[in-house]
Amino acid sequence: MAALVIGVASLGASGIPASAAASPQTAQKCQSSSAALKYNYYTSSGSIATWSKTCSGTYSLNSSGYSINANGWSGYVYFSDGAVSNFCDGETRYLGGRRVVKILMSAETIEPCL
């Protein structure tokens, strides 16, 4: 089991910890907020915060992941150690505090979820 690493997060201009601020590289498809993907991550104080997205794309991150609630999405989670894990529509995946560096939300259902 991966050790939980909690660091000091700096706050960006929006008040969101820089470690959880994400920048989409492409956006292809959007869904309603009820179908939003929710990424839950550990803050520097050890509490859990939520990052939510409704559009497909690749989002760069740098945070200790708690879980992903896929809701209406499928895609991949990329970890700092090079490992990759998929998620499918409707699933909740627990991430065990591993450092998440990227989330890909696919516009189409990914192969492992078919």
Side-chain angles (χ1 to χ4, degrees):
M1 183 164 149
L4 172 62
V5 177
I6 299 175
V8 177
S10 60
L11 294 180
S14 65
I16 297 173
S19 60
S23 54
Q25 295 166 350
T26 59
Q28 303 169 353
K29 175 184 172 186
C30 297
Q31 297 188 48
S32 71
S33 59
S34 64
L37 177 133
K38 294 185 186 325
Y39 166 61
N40 301 299
Y41 61 94
Y42 292 101
T43 66
S44 60
S45 67
S47 62
I48 296 173
T50 301
W51 170 91
S52 180
K53 292 293 177 195
T54 58
C55 293
S56 63
T58 301
Y59 298 90
S60 297
L61 297 156
N62 184 22
S63 54
S64 295
Y66 174 74
S67 68
I68 284 194
N69 299 326
N71 289 317
W73 293 96
S74 65
Y76 299 95
V77 181
Y78 297 82
F79 300 98
S80 61
D81 63 2
V84 179
S85 179
N86 69 287
F87 56 88
C88 300
D89 297 26
E91 284 185 340
T92 296
R93 292 277 175 132
Y94 291 94
L95 306 174
R98 296 173 70 189
R99 175 102 7 221
V100 174
V101 295
K102 183 168 57 173
I103 293 176
L104 183 147
M105 294 169 58
S106 179
E108 304 296 327
T109 303
I110 62 171
E111 181 76 25
C113 301
L114 295 176

